[in-house]
Amino acid sequence: MLEPRFCYRISAKAGMAHDGKGNDASCFTQMNFEGGKALSEDDYNSLHEKLKISLSNQLDLPVEYLECISQQEYDENHDDD
């Protein structure tokens, strides 16, 4: 069972983040439904993909600029500072 936290990498092509030299860089985001019930892997994967489409619409980005990633990958690449 997986907690309802859905993580994504946003492509550098989106132009939403930049590295120290001003070049476009990828960035990360998540949707966290705290207190939500744990999901089976199939339900989690299905919802992860559906939410990617909603997120692309909300951010006004092509859906191909978003990539579903694991919670672990998000945690390894995201800095809370």
Side-chain angles (χ1 to χ4, degrees), residues 3-40:
E3 66 178 286
R5 182 167 70 110
F6 303 93
C7 304
Y8 303 90
R9 177 185 298 111
I10 301 173
S11 170
K13 293 177 184 178
M16 293 184 73
H18 303 90
D19 65 16
K21 296 180 180 180
N23 300 312
D24 289 342
S26 61
C27 57
F28 299 86
T29 191
Q30 70 172 336
M31 293 182 205
N32 189 356
F33 298 95
E34 291 184 22
K37 69 176 187 165
L39 302 169
S40 71

Side-chain angles (χ1 to χ4, degrees), residues 52-69:
K52 179 173 78 169
I53 294 167
S54 295
L55 182 59
S56 74
N57 290 331
Q58 187 175 30
L59 297 175
D60 196 26
L61 293 174
V63 71
E64 58 268 13
Y65 284 12
L66 299 171
E67 177 185 357
C68 296
I69 60 171

